[in-house]
């Protein structure tokens, strides 16, 4: 890959744009946290519970962040540091971003990060990554405020039924995401590919880790808010050891 490509990708102008957008996202996050605490005060929700939830979310984010960081290192060597930092800060789906960058290069007829990967290919990868995320942002902007109405209609106003519907939706989402990893790991093992069973090992390790942490949390109540984050780390550790 020509040196001029990385020089353009890591130029100060791109860094300034990336920093500005990431700062906006950070400010939005802080405003959202402040709004959550204000709303909790209005409805009489204990502030210490809000702090516990915030701390649990931060700890649970450690596991996914490690996977994002690993992909980020690889992407930085091709599409540059600022655009990688920017995309993974506002989207966070590392495999999707890497796939979009690769598809963009292939659409131009060059190999991602190859010797013929020039500035035009870099721009194509950037555009593909941006367009790939546009659909999610549009759906979020146009339909998020309608989801609560849909949930209320499905639940019929019954709090217990609403809780069941919400729980089922979450189980469906996480189950779908896990099924992809499980099938990818199974196919990798079946094909005898090196490290192919990693996703399957991670899913099984995470499941066993979650069962273990929930069991321990029954006696060690302070452990409850850390269970998800620790279980994800256990899953990743199992995958690394077995692969």
């Amino acid at each position: 890959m020509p040196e001029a490509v990385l020089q353009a990708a890591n130029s100060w102008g791109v860094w300034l744009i990336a920093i500005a957008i990431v700062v906006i996202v950070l400010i939005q996050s802080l405003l959202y946290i402040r709004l959550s605490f204000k709303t909790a005060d209005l409805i009489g929700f204990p502030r210490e519970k809000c702090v516990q939830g915030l701390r649990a979310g931060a700890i649970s984010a450690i596991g996914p962040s490690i996977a994002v960081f690993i992909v980020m290192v690889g992407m930085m060597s091709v599409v540059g540091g600022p655009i990688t930092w920017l995309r993974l800060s506002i989207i966070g789906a590392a495999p999707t971003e890497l796939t979009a960058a690769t598809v963009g290069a292939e659409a131009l007829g060059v190999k991602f990060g190859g010797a013929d990967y020039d500035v035009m290919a870099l721009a194509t990868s950037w555009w593909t990554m941006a367009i790939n995320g546009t659909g999610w942002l549009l759906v979020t902007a146009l339909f998020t405020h309608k989801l609560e109405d849909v949930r209320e209609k499905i639940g019929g106003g019954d709090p217990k039924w609403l809780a069941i519907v919400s729980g089922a939706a979450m189980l469906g989402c996480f189950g779908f995401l896990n099924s992809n990893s499980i099938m990818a790991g199974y196919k990798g093992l079946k094909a005898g590919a090196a490290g192919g069973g990693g996703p399957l090992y991670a899913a099984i390790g995470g499941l066993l880790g979650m069962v273990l942490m929930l069991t321990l949390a029954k006696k060690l109540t302070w452990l409850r808010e850390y269970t998800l984050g620790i279980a994800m780390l256990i899953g990743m550790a199992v995958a690394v050891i077995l692969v």
Side-chain angles (χ1 to χ4, degrees):
M1 187 173 67
E3 184 64 26
V5 175
L6 283 179
Q7 290 179 356
N10 293 294
S11 61
W12 64 268
V14 183
W15 272 113
L16 288 177
I17 295 173
I19 290 172
I21 296 176
V22 172
V23 168
I24 291 173
V25 174
L26 178 60
I27 292 173
Q28 288 178 327
S29 302
L30 295 175
L31 290 175
Y32 184 81
I33 292 173
R34 188 179 70 172
L35 179 62
S36 299
F37 275 86
K38 284 186 175 181
T39 304
D41 292 337
L42 290 175
I43 63 176
F45 193 78
R47 182 163 285 253
E48 58 271 16
K49 292 291 185 180
C50 295
V51 175
Q52 288 178 3
L54 183 61
R55 186 166 58 242
I59 294 171
S60 299
I62 294 175
S65 297
I66 293 175
V68 172
F69 176 77
I70 294 172
V71 176
M72 181 178 70
V73 173
M75 286 182 61
M76 287 174 61
S77 63
V78 182
V79 298
I83 195 68
T84 301
W85 179 51
L86 166 63
R87 294 301 304 173
L88 297 183
S89 294
I90 63 176
I91 299 297
T96 302
E97 293 300 305
L98 182 59
T99 301
T102 304
V103 169
E106 293 176 348
L108 196 63
V110 301
K111 183 180 178 180
F112 182 66
D116 53 352
Y117 191 83
D118 55 11
V119 176
M120 182 62 71
L122 175 68
T124 306
S125 291
W126 286 7
W127 272 107
T128 307
M129 294 162 70
I131 294 172
N132 180 60
T134 301
W136 304 347
L137 297 176
L138 286 176
V139 170
T140 300
L142 296 175
F143 300 108
T144 298
H145 65 289
K146 296 291 185 181
L147 294 180
E148 182 61 22
D149 294 337
V150 173
R151 193 176 75 94
E152 288 285 348
K153 289 182 179 180
I154 294 176
D158 185 348
K160 293 183 179 179
W161 181 241
L162 282 173
I164 293 174
V165 171
S166 300
M170 292 180 63
L171 287 173
C173 291
F174 287 113
F176 174 76
L177 294 173
N178 274 313
S179 65
N180 290 333
S181 297
I182 292 171
M183 289 306 300
Y186 173 75
K187 291 178 180 178
L189 280 176
K190 194 174 181 181
L200 177 60
Y201 296 147
I204 295 175
L207 173 62
L208 295 178
M210 196 65 190
V211 172
L212 173 63
M213 297 311 300
L214 289 176
T215 302
L216 292 175
K218 291 180 180 179
K219 295 183 178 180
L220 306 174
T221 55
W222 60 268
L223 195 61
R224 290 177 182 174
E225 58 189 284
Y226 307 108
T227 53
L228 179 58
I230 296 175
M232 287 190 288
L233 292 176
I234 291 175
M236 287 187 286
V238 170
V240 171
I241 293 171
L242 296 181
V243 171

